[in-house]
Amino acid sequence: MRTVEWDYNNDQVRMIDQRYLPGEFKIITYTDHRQVADGIRDMVVRGAPAIGAAAAFGMVLAAQTSKAKSSLEMQMDLIAAADVLQKARPTAANLNWALRRILKTAGGQFTNVEDLRKAVLSAAQQIADEDVAINQRMASHGAELIDDGDVILHHCNTGALATVDWGTALGVIRMAHEQGKQVHVLVDETRPRLQGTRLTAWELVRYGISYEIISDNAAGYFLHSGEVKKVFVGADRVAANGDVANKVGTYMLALAAHDNDVPFYPVVPTSTIDLSLAHGGLIPIEERDPSEVLNLQVDGKVIVPEGAKARNPAFDVTPNRLITGIVTEKGLLYPPFEQTLAKAVRDIEDILPSADQ
Ligand code: MRU
């Protein structure tokens, strides 16, 4: 199944509950947009594109549960629901992007609330379907960068689980593998939530791609050794100048890659590009509960001293000067990113459906 999808038989959202992987494959269902917001916050669903699709389906639930008698009243309910969903995780640009797209559809002319409900569902379904198609287009562009025999370093989880299906950076690696190229992936474990160890490794087993998990601290060693030929990562938000916010640790990876002349590529749908922010310093960085850092157990025992404190930024910003190129569904973009990103977003906006379609 897809990471997040609409259940047409029961009018609810279904998601893979990523908190239990790889141990258990559990499906969770939601019937209220507030539950979806909690699910995004608790990382039942995570990864910027998957969060965007989840929020879009959350809006469908808000339309479904709304008691509004007129389309104007329902539009007000949807604006309130978007506010709740938008606060769930602040860094992922796709969350805002998907909510704005749904609100744009909902802001059209409707003679009754049922038509408005149908339009919201159709817009959310379109966001989900497009995500899969976009990922596969990005994967084809990105796979051109991969040579037979490459060892690739990958951070966090950017696969099918981080999107509706297929994946961004991991989708590129998967495409190269399907094209018959031999690839080996060094999987950053990705402290503190261990998305690399738990989710990326799980996906790579399923795809039959060769991999080894490394501790985040070992990335510099492997980059310096000459073993790693390329680094592929995802992104939660890209500023207009090409600065990239992604899972914490990405910046250190980019620094070490740059110092060792290893090409560094974020793989990014245009829905993750936020041209309203001039540079990465303006990207809101989510700081999560310190317990995610402190709940470190060995043999079932917590090993941090009692009363220990921690900081837990979930993302960091990699400056554009460390980035070789950005893979998008519009192709490979190179510096000057101010120009190439703006053109890619403009081209996509030109072909996006208008609100009344
Ligand atoms: O905190 P997470 O697990 O949601 O972080 C995910 C990432 O940092 C991904 O690299 C990013 O969302 C892009 S994935 C397609």
Side-chain angles (χ1 to χ4, degrees):
M1 74 171 272
R2 288 180 168 185
T3 299
V4 47
E5 63 187 20
W6 185 253
D7 173 355
Y8 283 88
N9 293 326
N10 301 298
D11 288 334
Q12 57 190 8
V13 185
R14 285 155 45 95
M15 297 181 197
I16 298 171
D17 191 336
Q18 302 190 30
R19 296 169 302 178
Y20 296 98
L21 286 171
E24 286 176 77
F25 188 87
K26 282 194 188 187
I27 306 299
I28 195 163
T29 55
Y30 293 127
T31 52
D32 186 285
H33 71 276
R34 283 159 291 223
Q35 296 171 329
V36 175
D38 288 343
I40 293 172
R41 195 175 300 107
D42 297 343
M43 295 174 70
V44 168
V45 61
R46 30 110 355 245
I51 292 172
F57 287 126
M59 292 292 277
V60 180
L61 291 175
Q64 195 172 266
T65 55
S66 164
K67 305 263 184 297
K69 296 274 181 290
S70 69
S71 37
L72 184 63
E73 275 172 38
M74 186 172 285
Q75 283 156 353
M76 301 308 283
D77 285 350
L78 288 174
I79 290 170
D83 193 48
V84 171
L85 287 157
Q86 194 256 316
K87 291 195 173 100
R89 289 198 79 189
T91 305
N94 306 60
L95 180 55
N96 245 316
W97 172 88
L99 292 170
R100 271 190 282 114
R101 221 172 122 173
I102 298 286
L103 286 176
K104 189 171 172 202
T105 296
Q109 294 290 331
F110 296 95
T111 43
N112 60 61
V113 289
E114 257 337 292
D115 284 355
L116 175 43
R117 284 197 178 101
K118 280 189 203 139
V120 171
L121 174 56
S122 142
Q125 187 61 55
Q126 193 172 6
I127 286 174
D129 293 342
E130 273 176 18
D131 184 60
V132 185
I134 284 170
N135 289 337
Q136 289 178 339
R137 273 210 295 284
M138 286 195 301
S140 300
H141 293 306
E144 290 170 22
L145 300 166
I146 296 182
D147 296 312
D148 195 36
D150 271 355
V151 173
I152 296 164
L153 192 49
H154 176 274
H155 195 59
C156 195
N157 172 265
T158 67
L161 290 168
T163 59
V164 175
D165 204 351
W166 193 267
T168 60
L170 205 63
V172 166
I173 295 168
R174 184 174 169 187
M175 184 65 85
H177 167 77
E178 291 203 356
Q179 289 170 348
K181 293 175 188 166
Q182 291 292 322
V183 288
H184 181 74
V185 186
L186 292 179
V187 175
D188 263 358
E189 60 178 354
T190 319
R191 277 277 291 154
R193 296 283 300 217
L194 301 177
Q195 290 95 328
T197 303
R198 296 192 306 108
L199 307 176
T200 298
W202 183 77
E203 286 197 42
L204 289 172
V205 172
R206 290 165 64 104
Y207 309 146
I209 299 176
S210 152
Y211 77 93
E212 290 160 305
I213 297 169
I214 60 168
S215 72
D216 298 340
N217 306 335
Y221 167 82
F222 285 109
L223 284 160
H224 189 63
S225 73
E227 233 178 284
V228 176
K229 299 300 175 216
K230 277 131 209 167
V231 180
F232 284 93
V233 298
D236 268 66
R237 199 185 292 236
V238 179
N241 70 344
D243 292 349
V244 167
N246 189 49
K247 178 54 51 196
V248 72
T250 303
Y251 173 45
M252 292 200 301
L253 209 53
L255 280 171
H258 192 256
D259 196 42
N260 292 286
D261 294 322
V262 177
F264 181 91
Y265 299 104
V267 182
V268 175
T270 50
S271 50
T272 305
I273 300 167
D274 184 351
L275 295 180
S276 75
L277 302 182
H279 59 83
L282 301 171
I283 298 176
I285 298 295
E286 175 185 11
E287 194 149 341
R288 293 183 63 84
D289 198 295
S291 63
E292 292 184 342
V293 174
L294 295 170
N295 189 18
L296 193 59
Q297 304 189 11
V298 173
D299 296 333
K301 287 200 185 100
V302 175
I303 55 161
V304 296
E306 223 182 299
K309 292 190 167 55
R311 293 288 300 275
N312 188 17
F315 301 95
D316 59 26
V317 175
T318 298
N320 59 12
R321 69 186 165 84
L322 302 176
I323 294 169
T324 311
I326 299 180
V327 181
T328 72
E329 73 269 31
K330 286 294 295 173
L332 309 175
L333 307 182
Y334 293 99
F337 290 121
E338 279 90 351
Q339 286 163 32
T340 52
L341 288 173
K343 180 169 182 338
V345 171
R346 245 192 345 261
D347 289 353
I348 291 292
E349 278 171 358
D350 285 349
I351 56 168
L352 267 184
S354 64
D356 45 12
Q357 279 180 300

